[in-house]
Amino acid sequence: MSENWLTTMDYVIFLADTNKIDKFTLIIIHNKLTNYRFMKNKFSKIVFGMFILMTSNTFSQSVSGNVTSNTGALPGVSVLIKGTTNGTQTDFDGNYKIDVINPNSILVYSYIGYKTQEVTVAGQTEINVILEESPEYLGEIVLIGYGQSQSKRTLSQAISTVSTKQIEDLPVSRVENILQGAVPGVTVQQNSGAPGSSSTIRIRGVGSPNSSNPLFMVDGLPVTTLEHLNPDDIKEMTVLKDAASIAVYGARGSNGVILVKTKSGRKRSKAAISISGYSGFQYLGNKPDLMNASEYINYYNRGVAEAGGNLNGNRGAFSEAERDALPDTDWYDAASRDAAMSNLAVSLSDGGEKYSYSISGGIFDQDGVFSKAGKSNFNRKNLRASLNADVRENFQISVSASVSKRVNSYPVGSIGSVNALPSIYPTYAENGEIFNPGRQSPAPEYNGVPLNVMGEMTNPLWELNDYQGSEAINDFINYGVSADWQPIKDLNIHAAYSKFKDNGFWRQFTPSLGAVYPTQDFFLRGSYTERPSGFANDQIRTTAAYTFSKLALKGHNLDVIVGYEVIEEENNFGQDKTNISDYWTNDFNKVNFGLAVDRFNTVFTPSKKTERGIVSYIGRVKYNFKEKYLATGSFRNDNSSTFGKNFQSGFFPSFSLGWVLSEENFLRDSDWINLLKVRTSWGISGNDSTGAYENLSTGDTSSPYGNNSGFTLVRVANPNLKWEELEQFNVGLDLTAFNNAFNLSVDYYSKETTDILLFGSGSDSSGLEPPRVNVGGVKNTGFEVALSYKKIADKFSWNASLNVGYNKNEVTGLGNNGQDLQGGFTGALFSDPITLTSIGEPIGSFYGYVVEGLDVNGNLLFKDLDGSGNDKRNPEATDKTFIGKPLPDLTAGLNLGASFSGFDFSAFFYGATGNDVFDATIRYTAIGSNRPASYLQEGAPRNMAVAAPGDSNGENLVSDFHVKDASFIKLKNVVFGFSLPESVISKLNAEKIRFYISGQNLFTLTEYEGADPEVGGGILSSGIDTGFYPQSRSYLFGFQINF
Amino acid sequence: MKNLKLNKIKLTGVFLILFVSFLSVSCADDILDKKPVTEITPDTIDTEDGVIRVVNAAYDPLQWKLEGPAETFQQMFQSVRADDLHSQQANFWGNGAIFDQFSTVRSTNQSVAELWRKLYAGIGRANFAIEITQEFNGFITDGLKERIIAEGKFLRGFYYFELVKLFGDVPLFLEAIRTTEDELFKERSSVATLYAQIEQDLADAAAVLPKRGESADVWRATSGAALGMLAKVQLYQGKYSETVATCQQVMTHGYQLEPVFADNFELQNEFGIESLFEINYIDGVPNEGSYSWQYMFMWAGGVYTSWGNMIPRQSLVNFYDDSDQRKSATFILPGDDLNSPGLESLGWSPAPADFAFKIGSSALNKKFFLTFEELEPLLAVNQSPKNEKILRYADVLLMFAEASLMGGGGDGAGAFQKVVERAYGPANPAAPAYDLAGVKAERRRELATEGWNRFTDLVRWGDIQAAMDAVGKTDFDINRDTLLPIPDAEIQLSNNILTQNPGYNN
């Protein structure tokens, strides 16, 4: 079996590119070059040319060997015969072969980041070299996708990386968080502080009201999420930002691409075992300043006095005796607790002459600070293995597989009622039952003190702590196999198959509470729901890459890659099963449909399944002359099933140019400049991230009337649906100076999305959901600065890096008629939408009235902006204007690090300015709801504690009264570490033993008075604080041991 | 041996070539030609049953009360906005409270937008049903094609009538919109044009649809329903003799008043002898019930967890004489026996003698009431299976009485007498006389809280200003508030092909 298989691999097959399938050409190349056949097309001519080039080589003596470093084989090391332009590079496994004429030639081995070595041939035929890392390394190798990498020095695109070193020392729970503040132009916003909650990543602003999520590629495979990954498995992350770097990803790259490379073994390395972990606790850091019980009573009593006897059915003023009898509940304290968090990761990697492998696994567990233990928890277990092997000298295969299980328990309750319920309400009633402030008969009472009925505001502990349970279990499977073959020198042919699967299972249970707590009169009916779901994608990819190494000797570094790629996706939304009845258990962990009192009451909602396919052809050329003049060009043709037959194909080109000034004579000998480069790029990428079949008019079979099934059209079809396109221009400068200690990167970019795929230009008069159409445009312009300085010395080293991204977002077009998009619906809270997306404004801006002051009674007065002369308490729709925006102008990250004989320290600050929050945490619709403590001061709006139904003081309207400046600076992370000295660890046979303590979210400087100024949300509903799970403060103790 | 190996290599090579060419050529087509897996397209409708399902879906919007971000209870626009109901006992229901006053109703109001969407969804589905039926050639059942078209026209007529009553001029679509290449926006048609179309649709439907009792599907539109709606459309236009004639036609369809008024609203008596058309709600299928119970009742405990919205005004309660049997059938009043052991154990049967809401009234809507025992077995307590009456025979009799008084001819007094006698019993001095004031008063009492008539009746009678003054709605502006605003988003979307109603300022 295996022998057969190997012989078949003596062949490689790749596809040349053309747009039309009938012109496909298959090229077969025998590895001995004895038997090849070419078909007539341009590509085959290129390949033919390569062979001619190759076969013309004839030399007298050859030297071979391999180059390694302390971490394993080194690919891409330049091997040059000193004093000549003859040379080569090591291959993927660090092997090289070079022909020399003179036995006394000196070979020069150089590689960026390593000390250059020279070895005299002296008749040797095999020379193996171990390169030592240079502390002053100039640059790094940057992934650019499709298996290719490029030295940072010759990069003319805007690409940022987060290196192993940066990742290693950061105890983060999620892979995305590695990027926060680490890369200019990338904003990572945690949507919630709940354990395991996702983050929103935006690269260079929000390009579209649709998904603006970047494309995630893990080891070359597109995945929908990074949450299955263990941060400890990440080797490095690369962010492709400008069009020249993303256009090769065509239709899916328009929001930027994040390449994640996981750790793998290296050939000819020694076995390395690494164990790391941390453990710690978290607690609620910031709380908004709400009224305490006594303050609330003062406020209430003042309201009673002002009401002049008309209490509208509310109770009267509280007496001093009543004040003493009532509790002072801090709902934030009552609902939160200290929670544990721990992580353990183990990895093993090893490599021999012809193989390398790695195995790693980890367990991460985090409890949430809100709700009781077990109610809010995130647990991730993962296992990953990879193997690379040389089947032949010129043929390598690699297989990798990872499985990951994620269990996320989360409370269902809204944190909104934590803000809304006054402190005078107790958590638990005298008889130990959870207290129900909404009980209507008999009305709530505590310690003999009658309390007002608090209507919709439930006791938050009911949902958070006591009863409702919800759990999402996801099993991720990711595997791939790939082969690389070098039939001739400089040509690498790559074929890969990979698969990603996410099998989800979600369940939620609300037991019958009335049976447990009869006197508190809660909603009674139990409800249990289960929903499986699944996502899978398959990818087949073939590429052929050729490096013109002959030209390199003359200074022309040229390589090309062409490829073909097919991705198929299947999304299964799962069948929803719900049974609303009583259950024989109240325990979430035990419940199942068998325990329903009425088992046959289960309702099934049919599952929905969609499929999607993309067929792509790619090509890229990289060129530089003596690493001085740089250029790249790429193209991609994508064909997506998402669109109608005539609009499936899209063409996405890009170009970039760079000039390394420091290689020019006038700077070459500069004492202080190591690298100075200017670069520019232009390109087009696309987006097909719409729902499946949106070009069609599909029907809904689930619109019954009573027992009679019905069929109706769902939406207006749009047969002309096509790609959303993004055109981006970038210009940048890189400077490295002072012995490579100082680095500066500056980028200016301008990117405009056009033909945005939008819903909303269909009318309600059509009776259907609106079609998806290509309308609108969004422009993002901005600049990014990354600045770093490091001082490395034997005893004391330090480094600092600052990155700043400024972005201006502007909507440049909308709909056929430029109609605005509304967003930010809060249901009962505010009857008007909070955001409006309008031409000339940033996307999802807050839109409402402008408060000009208060009248004598404390009612908000709104500016009569349309000059219609209306009553200022009752503004008209035309008095609305733009009152704020959720997107920051500037985001910045600052890293400080230092080390001193075994001790290390690092701190990471993250901040943003120009971002507003719409504070919707207060339930203005509920009479008697709690208010911030500031309402006790002069100038607060009229007291509504005992207001009449329907009465309003203007707080209930969407206005700038609720818009708060949410600029902030956070100390996200501080780490103190200590590594045991060499003398100790060598006795223990270890490479490294380090212990550290770390604190996260230690402080936040902000004027925003809510729990957290970092408020996420959807693109059109971002920055609206309706009371959410704030990020916790945590302290961790951790260790790293490497053998 | 070497040859053999070479052959093997060649063979495998050929195999691989074939495999990859298969993969790339045949797959490329497959991969790019994805058809819906779990959805169907209109082409899929190829049976009679399929066509019937299309018209069934056109009934579906009748049920909608909360489909989007805001509620669209008929009572919000007809009863809360008029003088019959308060939006809530307290002040938690922001969307409803807006309709307690007029100045708070804005062109961006979500409930108004949802109402517009719901009515046009009904129209679009009716149009689609009519078209699909006309396109389909495979009918084998006699008369089915005509019947389905007639049902489609009835529903289209009904939905347009609701639009005209509440919005005035609206765009008239008589063809289903299917793709972006269709005309998506039209100018508003005049009320006269719309009424002509509505009359045509209802008359066409009445000519074809079966009479009450002739169809196994009691929930489907009948010719009686079509005529009854037509009568109301005529009455709204002041076509009194036509109204009388149409009502007289209805009277030949075998409808009768329920002897006991309250029986109209019993769960066991749906599609009863008095009912011309009603919204069909059921238990057992998710989202096929009504939110009305949960929105309207008091929170008593246990499963009885409701919110106390749409509370009768005390002035409405007081408008009934105690001898009027409709009083106890329309309201739950302090001390009323609710015949429910479950409610009894929660202290709500009899209703507490002292219950009084903050809003200043002591009543709840009985017509949508469920006992504890009726509620308990439901799939979801917010999904009441109780049907809601759209048109009752009593309404037809009162229309007849009114049109006759206004000079339409016929024996209006006899019709009026039937309604009055059932309510007050024979020879009750409390019963009003047969005059215009009496008919208007009886129309209010008979149909109160059902949600289809009060506000628009007041408007067509010219009584709206006085009625609003009487309940102290000082912000009522007769030049603006007799109609709802055209949803602002719709106007913007249409690029101002649509225009706004007066006074709504944009």
Side-chain angles (χ1 to χ4, degrees), chain B residues 105-116:
Chain B
V105 179
R106 296 160 201 278
S107 60
T108 50
N109 184 282
Q110 284 301 304
S111 289
V112 172
E114 283 301 305
L115 176 69
W116 178 278

Side-chain angles (χ1 to χ4, degrees), chain A residues 4 8 11 314 456 521 525 568 603 609 639 648 699 705-706 709 711 717 760 763 765 817 875-876 925 949, chain B residues 8-9 12 32 34 38 40 53 56 90-92 106 178 180 185 280 286 288 301 358 376 378 490 493 505:
Chain A
N4 249 345
T8 62
Y11 290 86
N314 292 295
E456 272 179 77
D521 197 15
R525 188 57 49 85
E568 279 195 280
V603 173
K609 185 176 156 184
N639 301 275
Q648 288 188 334
Y705 184 63
S709 64
F711 174 84
S763 71
S765 317
N817 317 314
E876 293 160 334
T925 48
Chain B
K8 211 161 140 191
I9 291 168
T12 347
L32 295 176
K34 300 284 189 207
T38 48
I40 62 172
R53 289 164 73 183
N56 290 349
N91 191 30
F92 306 133
R106 296 160 201 278
R178 299 194 200 188
T180 43
F185 294 98
N280 186 24
E288 289 301 297
K358 284 184 188 176
E376 207 169 15
L378 297 184
E490 251 343 75
L493 280 169
N505 223 358

